[in-house]
Amino acid sequence: MGNTSLSTIENDDRYSLCLEPESTHEIGAANGRAPSPGRAPGRRLESSDTNAISSASHCEEMMMNVLVHVVRSFAALEQMDLSAADDGAPHSELLHNADGSNDRYNGIGRTHIPGACTATLLDVGGAIEAPAYALTSGHCTNWWESDRSFEERALDHRGLVTFRFFTDTADRYRTVATTVAAFSSLRGTDLAILRLDESVGALRADGIKGIPIAPALPAEGAPITNVGAPQGTIEDPGEEHLRLGRCTLGEQTPVVEFEWLWPDAVANDCPDVFGGSSGSPLLDASGAVFAVLNTGADEPQHALCHLNHPCEIEPCGPAIYIGRNYAMPVAGLGACFVDGVLDLAASGCPLASGPVVSSMRLTERYERPGPANVAIHVALTEDHGLTHYRAKFGLVQDTDCYVDEGYGAAVAIAEAPVFAAPLPATDGLTVVCLRGGTSAASIQPPSHAVAWLTASDSTPPPLPLPVRHDPPEATRVRFWVEVENPTYGSFEQKSGPADTTDCDDLAGYQFVNVLFGQFTVESTGGPTRVCVVAYDLADNRSEPMEWTFFE
């Protein structure tokens, strides 16, 4: 990293950038992925790290072991003096407003749909009777599909947004109901626009004003502000009200997290981002919202690209930067509103609206390649009048679903309802890109692409396994296992007399019920050997760990 980095985000706890092979440029050009610049510094996880994923060769050594979990979980702002950030180091402060000094943040609130997130009341013009809209993360609606977007969909649970959410003004909370997501998507972005059950005028009358939408992103390295409502911090775990963080904007980069591919995420080093921060706005120097915070990379054990462990897509493959956060850009989103009302068909609206090709990956998210497992299969069905499709595939670092270059000729779904792409024999992450159309000559633009991700994984779970035991009792000992998807997805154990029990012999192993996360071994009347193995989600088996008790 060091001299190869172009970013202004600083982090001394980091590892060097891997260098891009010359051939990567050629492969990328064929599939529409432009060569990427150096990534912003952070702590990069690779094979030299003690917590790194097991490796195979060069960047392909960082294998994609991934699974699901929920991700981590503004008032026209006055001009802010961001120079107050003294030495420029990221820092946050709990916001108070008993004296009205922070009224400009009245329009940032806590959402419950039913999980906790942060949302921003938008200032998009229009008459006082126009509906009020709040901007948050798509995953906060609890619709996590990666292959579609939703428009004018009723929420599964009645939602609430609480404005004036300051630590010292609980008696002045203003809670508004919301029952409809005017837009929600995790396909290519992670955004939701909630239509509130009250008008703009009703909220303005209570002193709650919307935040304007920025027309463009600030420059990389610009000082920015994040205002969110994390559900506690390390220093104050019981405090969940609005915090203001001063931080720096990093570069724009493709990001993968579990099933989701976000091609235009913006990196940042905003502090004190925890559960509840999702959906919180990033503000430029004028106080306009230009992005919505949606995820961040925690310290991983074995979780490259895992949920809460998003990875950036570099020229040589995915890489994780511990402690870095990401946000979805919304600059220019104001074009989606006409006279204060959301119109996804409006000229210049950057949100991809309307149906996309109906598809479903038939193979698993994690696959172990072998003689009988050589292909990724995706099924397509005719729906919404979309009868044809174009496709392309390749390693995720070489393949950009959102440019036209590299797509094959149009094919009728009726003639080829299953698309097959080769499953690489080496560990890596492959993406299959699909675009639908009403005919071979009328295929949707790349903005409507559906991306299906598949990890090739032939690397066994590394030792030591996440297994521990209590102090042995006189004749028994209790063991605990901890699931760390996708690397440690399930466990088996066996035990017996130490002189006759061979942990390398597959016979005799029994499934450990991970719902309880424990099992008990009884003494055999003498030295007793206990053996435990783990399986990852691609069904690779670890080497055994063993213990001997009651000697």
Side-chain angles (χ1 to χ4, degrees):
M1 215 160 297
N3 294 334
T4 64
S5 173
L6 301 181
S7 171
T8 56
I9 292 181
E10 293 300 331
N11 186 335
D12 293 331
D13 187 15
R14 64 178 184 265
Y15 290 79
S16 62
L17 270 172
C18 60
L19 298 178
E20 178 184 8
E22 292 182 5
S23 61
T24 303
H25 290 286
E26 299 175 4
I27 297 171
N31 290 283
R33 169 73 71 197
S36 302
R39 295 295 177 210
R43 185 177 174 207
R44 185 181 193 283
L45 179 71
E46 48 184 318
S47 57
S48 59
D49 195 298
T50 56
N51 286 332
I53 302 289
S54 296
S55 304
S57 66
H58 190 49
C59 289
E60 293 173 355
E61 295 177 355
M62 297 176 293
M63 79 178 188
M64 309 306 98
N65 287 326
V66 197
L67 189 78
V68 73
H69 174 28
V70 184
V71 175
R72 302 168 5 172
S73 317
F74 273 177
L77 297 178
E78 300 172 359
Q79 181 75 25
M80 293 179 295
D81 181 11
L82 294 176
S83 63
D86 47 68
D87 62 356
H91 62 284
S92 76
E93 60 190 76
L94 187 65
L95 288 177
H96 296 76
N97 197 40
D99 61 358
S101 60
N102 282 312
D103 276 352
R104 60 189 180 276
Y105 302 118
N106 280 344
I108 301 171
R110 156 76 75 232
T111 65
H112 288 281
I113 318 176
C117 287
T118 303
T120 303
L121 181 67
L122 294 176
D123 177 5
V124 290
I128 59 173
E129 63 270 16
Y133 295 95
L135 180 67
T136 189
S137 293
H139 70 262
C140 295
T141 64
N142 296 311
W143 304 324
W144 303 328
E145 290 90 335
S146 65
D147 61 331
R148 67 195 69 185
S149 301
F150 301 97
E151 301 170 23
E152 296 299 326
R153 178 176 176 177
L155 297 171
D156 297 333
H157 304 275
R158 178 175 177 264
L160 298 173
V161 183
T162 300
F163 296 113
R164 281 201 294 260
F165 195 63
F166 300 98
T167 187
D168 59 347
T169 61
D171 58 335
R172 286 186 270 166
Y173 286 171
R174 179 68 157 84
T175 299
V176 182
T178 177
T179 55
V180 174
F183 176 85
S184 181
S185 181
L186 273 82
R187 185 189 61 81
T189 189
D190 183 3
L191 291 174
I193 300 173
L194 307 174
R195 190 168 65 244
L196 305 183
D197 289 358
E198 297 193 32
S199 68
V200 170
L203 292 174
R204 286 178 184 168
D206 280 347
I208 300 171
K209 299 177 182 178
I211 306 302
I213 300 171
L217 293 176
E220 181 181 340
I224 59 173
T225 300
N226 169 238
V227 180
Q231 292 184 295
T233 65
I234 294 174
E235 293 76 16
D236 194 352
E239 178 56 72
E240 65 170 3
H241 292 89
L242 290 180
R243 300 189 69 87
L244 183 148
R246 300 191 188 278
C247 33
T248 302
L249 181 63
E251 69 178 340
Q252 205 159 7
T253 176
V255 166
V256 165
E257 184 174 354
F258 182 48
E259 293 279 9
W260 307 300
L261 172 60
W262 301 311
D264 301 314
V266 289
N268 63 87
D269 61 355
C270 295
D272 290 324
V273 172
F274 296 98
S277 297
S278 289
S280 60
L282 297 187
L283 307 174
D284 64 16
S286 73
V289 54
F290 67 87
V292 170
L293 199 69
N294 76 310
T295 191
D298 290 339
E299 182 80 33
Q301 293 300 309
H302 304 278
L304 188 67
C305 303
H306 181 54
L307 209 78
N308 289 341
H309 305 287
C311 52
E312 298 183 16
I313 305 304
E314 298 189 338
C316 59
I320 191 167
Y321 292 88
I322 299 163
R324 185 170 298 176
N325 304 313
Y326 301 95
M328 299 292 104
V330 298
L333 198 68
C336 301
F337 294 86
V338 178
D339 296 328
V341 177
L342 181 66
D343 182 358
L344 296 172
S347 176
C349 178
L351 298 176
S353 62
V356 295
V357 65
S358 179
S359 59
M360 179 177 67
R361 190 185 56 225
L362 301 178
T363 40
E364 298 296 330
R365 174 63 175 79
Y366 314 98
E367 290 282 353
R368 182 174 63 181
N373 192 22
V374 297
I376 301 164
H377 295 99
V378 180
L380 300 99
T381 56
E382 295 185 4
D383 197 11
H384 303 292
L386 302 177
T387 58
H388 289 69
Y389 70 95
R390 294 177 65 191
K392 68 176 171 179
F393 63 87
L395 292 176
V396 69
Q397 64 265 31
D398 303 327
T399 308
D400 189 344
C401 294
Y402 302 98
V403 299
D404 188 66
E405 185 179 9
Y407 276 93
V411 179
I413 294 175
E415 296 176 4
V418 176
F419 179 79
L423 178 68
T426 56
D427 288 2
L429 189 62
T430 297
V431 62
V432 174
C433 314
L434 302 168
R435 292 156 52 198
T438 55
S439 69
S442 183
I443 299 295
Q444 291 177 318
S447 60
H448 286 63
V450 172
W452 290 106
L453 296 160
T454 300
S456 300
D457 177 7
S458 57
T459 304
L463 300 180
L465 307 179
V467 179
R468 59 183 175 85
H469 63 81
D470 292 342
E473 301 177 17
T475 60
R476 65 174 59 188
V477 59
R478 182 167 57 176
F479 275 78
W480 300 84
V481 299
E482 183 175 353
V483 171
E484 293 181 10
N485 283 320
T487 305
Y488 304 107
S490 61
F491 298 84
E492 292 181 348
Q493 62 87 16
K494 72 174 179 178
S495 61
D499 58 351
T500 60
T501 301
D502 181 3
C503 292
D504 292 323
D505 184 355
L506 297 181
Y509 275 94
Q510 298 180 339
F511 173 74
V512 176
N513 189 335
V514 296
L515 291 178
F516 298 103
Q518 60 178 287
F519 64 92
T520 299
V521 174
E522 302 286 345
S523 170
T524 59
T528 302
R529 177 164 294 147
V530 181
C531 313
V532 179
V533 296
Y535 292 83
D536 63 23
L537 294 181
D539 208 31
N540 294 294
R541 180 181 182 271
S542 74
E543 292 295 317
M545 286 186 68
E546 61 181 80
W547 300 259
T548 301
F549 298 96
F550 316 119
E551 295 182 279

